Amino acid sequence: MTAFRRFVPVLLALPVAAHAQSFQDLNALETQVIAALGAGIGEPGGPSRPIDRRLKLSPCPSPVVVEPPALGAVAVGCKQIGWRIRVPLTPAPAAAAAMQQAAAVTVKAAPIIKRGDQIELVADAGSFSVTTVAVAEQDGAPGDHIRVRPAAKPGTVVGVVSEDGRVLLPGFN
């Protein structure tokens, strides 16, 4: 009886150890990503946060491939098994400055419709057109989607402001 008790803890520990080895080591995977990028977690050009520890990836029998950064993330994958994850990156200072410049270059057109203006609401299907009077619920520049309240019916609809100051209902082109 005492011999049996001596071996029980060893037998119970074996399945746990085997289970722990059945997934990809995320610490090693994270280290590979950091080494490939040359920047640590939270640093410019490096991963924005650690790899999610809830991931349960099959272990890759060959070396994991870390692809070049694209669209603000780096792809890490095992081609042999077929899994692939994307790791988001912290923008580098040059990339952040370029994004700020692009935002500064984008100039919003001045609104041609003001809230409370009486406007023409148009549904144009090509072969016919339906027009009614409505009141703008918000300001809008050409191309903006705004809410309008038709005069003949309660409720609001959303339309697109045209260059000529009318509001077109989408889906009737």
Side-chain angles (χ1 to χ4, degrees), residues 82-165:
W83 58 259
R84 182 176 162 193
I85 62 171
R86 290 178 45 88
V87 178
L89 302 177
T90 303
M99 288 168 43
Q100 287 177 350
Q101 284 179 343
V105 171
T106 306
V107 178
K108 186 161 171 66
I112 59 173
I113 295 177
K114 300 283 186 196
R115 181 177 183 199
D117 285 354
Q118 190 170 0
I119 52 100
E120 190 174 280
L121 182 61
V122 180
D124 188 7
S127 60
F128 70 92
S129 169
V130 177
T131 305
T132 187
V133 177
V135 177
E137 294 276 316
Q138 59 191 124
D139 297 347
D144 286 350
H145 287 74
I146 65 168
R147 290 185 317 272
V148 296
R149 187 177 62 245
K153 160 180 179 186
T156 60
V157 294
V158 176
V160 180
V161 178
S162 67
E163 293 287 334
D164 60 0

Side-chain angles (χ1 to χ4, degrees), residues 11-102:
L11 294 175
L12 294 176
L14 288 176
V16 173
H19 181 67
Q21 297 297 326
S22 63
F23 299 117
Q24 180 72 32
D25 182 10
L26 296 180
N27 291 327
L29 193 63
E30 200 168 79
T31 303
Q32 283 180 294
V33 171
I34 290 170
L37 295 172
I41 297 171
E43 296 176 3
S48 63
R49 58 186 169 269
I51 295 174
D52 191 346
R53 297 300 187 239
R54 295 174 290 182
L55 287 174
K56 303 296 182 205
L57 303 170
S58 298
C60 190
S62 62
V64 175
V65 176
V66 179
E67 296 178 9
L71 301 172
V74 66
V76 181
C78 180
K79 294 188 187 249
Q80 219 171 15
I81 294 178
W83 58 259
R84 182 176 162 193
I85 62 171
R86 290 178 45 88
V87 178
L89 302 177
T90 303
M99 288 168 43
Q100 287 177 350
Q101 284 179 343

